Amino acid sequence: MSLLPAIFAEVICPLFIIAGLFTRLACLPVIGVLLVAMLFVHPDWSIAEGQFGWLLLIIFTTLALTGPGRWRVGTKMTGAGEVSRGAG
C-alpha cells in the first residue's frame, strides 16, 4: 500500500465516520488497511499481540454492516428537535 491511501484511511475516513457522512463507504478503506496490517505486515503476531488490531477490524466491519444509526449529520428534521430514523 502507498502512504497516501493509508493516511486517507486513517485520518480522513474516521472524520467522515464521526460526522456520520458516508459511514459505510468510509469504513471500507479502514478495513482494508487493517486487513493488510494484520495479515501481511504482522502475520507472525499472535491473537494476544494483535488483539487491538483485530478489535478495530471487528468494530469497523460491524459499523460498515450496520451503518451510522439515528444520530448523524444529514438526517432530516421531522419536528421540533426530533431526528428521523434512517435506514443506515
Side-chain angles (χ1 to χ4, degrees), residues 39-59:
L39 298 177
F40 298 111
V41 178
H42 303 290
D44 54 337
W45 278 7
S46 68
I47 296 294
E49 291 172 327
Q51 66 183 344
F52 186 66
W54 291 110
L55 176 67
L56 287 175
L57 190 61
I58 291 168
I59 290 170

Side-chain angles (χ1 to χ4, degrees), residues 2 7 12 16 23-24 26 30-31 39 46 53 69 72-73 85:
S2 177
I7 290 173
I12 305 301
F16 281 132
T23 303
R24 290 181 170 160
V30 178
I31 291 169
L39 298 177
S46 68
R72 65 183 185 270
V73 176
R85 290 182 181 239

Side-chain angles (χ1 to χ4, degrees), residues 22-33:
F22 309 110
T23 303
R24 290 181 170 160
L25 188 61
C27 285
L28 297 180
V30 178
I31 291 169
V33 167

